[in-house]
Amino acid sequence: MTWTIRAGGPADVPTVLALLDGAGEWLVARGRTGQWGTGRQSESPRRLRQAESWGRDGGLSLIDRDKTPVGALVLGAVPDTLPPATVPEVYVLLLVTSREHAGQGIGARLLAHAEAVARERGASQVRLDCYGGDDRALVRYYERQGFTPAEAVEFPLPGGILWPCQVLVRDL
């Protein structure tokens, strides 16, 4: 089995959307709709705009297992809605993996890549945010990957719903 992390581009946007759809279907099948709701990510105009920007802005990486894409990572600027960095950092905007290949360390490999990029750039931390609601399983995943919870933020969604966001940091 060969693992390869490669730079992504505009041609990889459909792959990223398919990975997001697969992850969304997995969440819905488990009753975990608080993170992304019940709709397909590829049918969301907002998500499509996001994915297109990831494909053209230079921060997209994909991991291939035997030449088949099984995960995506996007590094970029911290979103305006979150606290700015206080030290040089690399910010993870997206980490998504194929649920068909769960348990193979895909996310850990991509996070190690983010750390390598951070060290290469002279950054002293990797930071990200994730869904912090329900049973906080996603937060615990990142804690197992060496991240520490920092700020918790709630974002208002249509219908008066507050979306719980957890910022996490891994110091280098």
Side-chain angles (χ1 to χ4, degrees), residues 34-56:
Q35 184 171 341
W36 291 340
T38 58
R40 293 178 56 79
Q41 297 297 297
S42 61
E43 295 174 359
S44 162
R46 181 187 70 82
R47 186 64 88 183
L48 181 58
R49 283 190 305 276
Q50 248 183 346
E52 288 171 345
S53 73
W54 296 332
R56 76 172 170 267

Side-chain angles (χ1 to χ4, degrees), residues 103-119:
Q104 296 181 11
I106 298 166
R109 283 178 173 87
L110 287 168
L111 290 170
H113 176 71
E115 182 177 323
V117 169
R119 289 183 188 285

